[in-house]
Amino acid sequence: MLASVASATLSGAVGRAVTVEVHVSNGLPGFTIVGLPDAAVRESRDRVRAAVLSSGVPWPLRRITINLAPSGVRKGGAGLDLPIAIGLLVAVGELGPDRTEGLAFCGELGLNGALRHVPGMIALADATSPLALVVPLCDAREAALVRAGVVHAAATLEELIGILRGQSEWPEMPAASAVTRAASVPDLSDVRGQAVGRRALEVAAAGRHHLLMIGPPGSGKTMLAERLAGLLPLLAPSDALTVTRIHSAAGCALPDGALLDRPPFRAPHHQASVVSLVGGGSWSLRPGEVSLATHGVLFLDELGEFPVAALEALRQPLEEGVIRVSRAGGTVTFPAAFLLVAAMNPCPCGEGVYEGACTCTPASRSRYRRRLSAPLLDRFDLIVPLSRPDPDELLAGRAGERSAAVAARVATARARAAARRPGPESSQGVAPDAEALLASKLRSGDLSARGLHKVKRVATTVADLAGEDVVSFAHVSEALSLRAGRAVVA
Ligand SMILES: [Zn+2]
């Protein structure tokens, strides 16, 4: 007997349709899977067998061959357990072949027959369109994000068999519960003082400028960076779907199966592997931190401690907004368009030039600086020196401005910039004294041609934040001060 069941497998953040063909014949009992299965798929034999037995169906003592088509696509993960089990039940006559018509199946099986979570359900749901998709109950809301109305769910294989035999109805889809995500975003009002750092965040958020903060321990770099995502506008629906899709493919828990509509904040540790940063893996390619940060913030604390290979790997996403990951399993392109925020100490001892307490030798200092390549430094429009907050400001105990107020200015500035496009950046007028200031910096060698371009961009953002149409001397001065940290590290 031959049966054929529709399913899908995950390749990066994209789903690929897979047809599971099951052939059962007389002969020596056995179970073979062909068609580029990975280790998890090969192991499905044991899970499928135990789950079928747990569901009260006898295991056929016959020769079972599973073919996963198309044969050129690698199949990863345990999500093919369920279609394999269903195909087997059809092939041995436990289910009528008409019972699975118009349906696709994705789900991992527990030994007790429970249907378990599979990562990447959004992409899998896409790939099985237009068939109705049957998924584990816990994945139903995630799948329904993109396939509302054509998702069915069951909690166990036994329940599913009963439904497919027409003995019972599909259970109700789990309802959405109240979302409480807003509470988890830290607020800028927690930050006391730190006028320079706060302003840098605002300018970075308004103009999508990559930001490097340089300061001694205790200068609040991490605390500031963690509050940047809260200044960005909520994601547009299409961006929210992209972000949710990537988190789904990475196996991250989604808040109650809802779309992630807040810009993500990712802060990988400098000891994290390059693969976890950029994505990949030996077989099934998974998105990395740079992709999980898409449409949000990637924060690299202690930038100078990241291995050179990790920093080099950031180049493509910073230039193109995507990352291509090549492995034996093929090449996959993930989105990777993030706002980069980095922090570092001014020198190995951390005290740097601001506190006058640096104990580093000139050699160790220059070695520290050389860790950051010029091309990487050039990615930062804003390089801001920070010092420890003034004790008087801390003791005054005045709360800082709230994130919501800053976010409102950011949204207004972004709207101004968007209304100006499309058109050359220079469509924003520059006042004569501001031009003169830039020209003098260029002549004195304080600014390179590339630096000039960056300062103009930042000054334009400052003007947008001020609601002014012409870039003034003051705007250019502030833009110059927001890259003053470059002298510390370059
Ligand atoms: Zn030092």
Side-chain angles (χ1 to χ4, degrees), residues 11-166:
S11 170
V14 178
R16 300 274 183 87
V18 171
T19 302
V20 177
E21 295 170 343
V22 182
H23 185 252
V24 176
S25 61
N26 293 323
L28 217 52
F31 190 107
T32 313
I33 301 181
V34 298
L36 288 183
D38 77 348
V41 176
R42 283 195 300 270
E43 285 166 3
S44 74
R45 173 183 61 182
D46 300 322
R47 292 189 298 270
V48 168
R49 182 172 187 275
V52 164
L53 288 170
S54 299
S55 307
V57 177
W59 185 255
L61 288 173
R62 299 165 75 183
R63 186 173 191 78
I64 300 162
T65 307
I66 314 286
N67 179 40
L68 308 175
S71 56
V73 175
R74 289 173 187 258
K75 290 89 182 175
L80 293 171
D81 287 1
L82 179 59
I84 288 174
I86 296 295
L88 182 65
L89 294 172
V90 172
V92 299
E94 289 284 341
L95 286 174
D98 56 324
R99 298 293 175 175
T100 59
E101 259 171 39
L103 296 177
F105 299 82
C106 288
E108 180 179 341
L109 288 172
L111 300 183
N112 59 358
L115 302 193
R116 289 188 177 157
H117 166 70
V118 177
M121 196 45 86
I122 294 180
L124 297 174
D126 273 342
T128 51
S129 176
L131 299 172
L133 180 62
V134 180
V135 301
L137 205 55
C138 56
D139 287 335
R141 293 208 11 95
E142 190 176 326
L145 283 174
V146 289
R147 299 289 310 284
V150 284
V151 171
H152 299 300
T156 66
L157 182 60
E158 186 173 12
E159 180 187 20
L160 180 56
I161 293 170
I163 296 164
L164 293 176
R165 282 172 173 166

Side-chain angles (χ1 to χ4, degrees), residues 58-358:
W59 185 255
L61 288 173
R62 299 165 75 183
R63 186 173 191 78
I64 300 162
T65 307
I66 314 286
N67 179 40
L68 308 175
S71 56
V73 175
R74 289 173 187 258
K75 290 89 182 175
L80 293 171
D81 287 1
L82 179 59
I84 288 174
I86 296 295
L88 182 65
L89 294 172
V90 172
V92 299
E94 289 284 341
L95 286 174
D98 56 324
R99 298 293 175 175
T100 59
E101 259 171 39
L103 296 177
F105 299 82
C106 288
E108 180 179 341
L109 288 172
L111 300 183
N112 59 358
L115 302 193
R116 289 188 177 157
H117 166 70
V118 177
M121 196 45 86
I122 294 180
L124 297 174
D126 273 342
T128 51
S129 176
L131 299 172
L133 180 62
V134 180
V135 301
L137 205 55
C138 56
D139 287 335
R141 293 208 11 95
E142 190 176 326
L145 283 174
V146 289
R147 299 289 310 284
V150 284
V151 171
H152 299 300
T156 66
L157 182 60
E158 186 173 12
E159 180 187 20
L160 180 56
I161 293 170
I163 296 164
L164 293 176
R165 282 172 173 166
Q167 295 158 350
S168 53
E169 298 288 311
W170 292 106
E172 289 259 321
M173 294 285 282
S177 61
V179 181
T180 54
R181 62 178 182 269
S184 62
V185 180
D187 199 279
L188 256 186
S189 58
D190 307 334
V191 179
R192 305 282 152 92
Q194 297 291 21
V196 174
R198 300 174 67 102
R199 179 64 174 169
L201 289 188
E202 184 170 341
V203 173
R208 299 180 181 86
H209 300 293
H210 301 311
L211 165 65
L212 172 59
M213 294 181 282
I214 303 170
S219 56
K221 306 184 292 279
T222 305
M223 198 173 177
L224 286 163
E226 286 169 349
R227 281 153 182 79
L228 179 54
L231 306 183
L232 302 176
L234 288 182
L235 300 175
S238 64
D239 292 345
L241 191 58
T242 302
V243 169
T244 309
R245 192 183 297 272
I246 294 166
H247 281 72
S248 164
C252 299
L254 300 179
D256 195 44
L259 282 182
L260 298 168
D261 62 355
R262 279 212 164 272
F265 176 81
R266 304 294 301 188
H269 191 264
H270 59 79
Q271 285 173 344
S273 69
V274 174
V275 165
S276 75
L277 197 63
V278 304
S282 57
W283 194 291
S284 57
L285 296 164
R286 291 168 70 107
E289 292 290 338
V290 296
S291 297
L292 290 166
T294 280
H295 298 310
V297 174
L298 180 71
F299 175 45
L300 303 182
D301 202 357
E302 305 193 50
L303 184 67
E305 302 295 325
F306 278 81
V308 172
L311 297 178
E312 280 298 306
L314 292 176
R315 195 177 285 195
Q316 184 179 48
L318 286 171
E319 279 171 13
E320 301 176 36
V322 298
I323 187 145
R324 277 182 286 279
V325 182
S326 300
R327 290 290 183 278
T331 300
V332 169
T333 303
F334 292 109
F338 48 81
L339 183 54
L340 177 61
V341 180
M344 63 187 291
N345 294 336
C347 64
C349 83
E351 294 303 324
V353 289
Y354 309 109
E355 312 293 321
C358 177

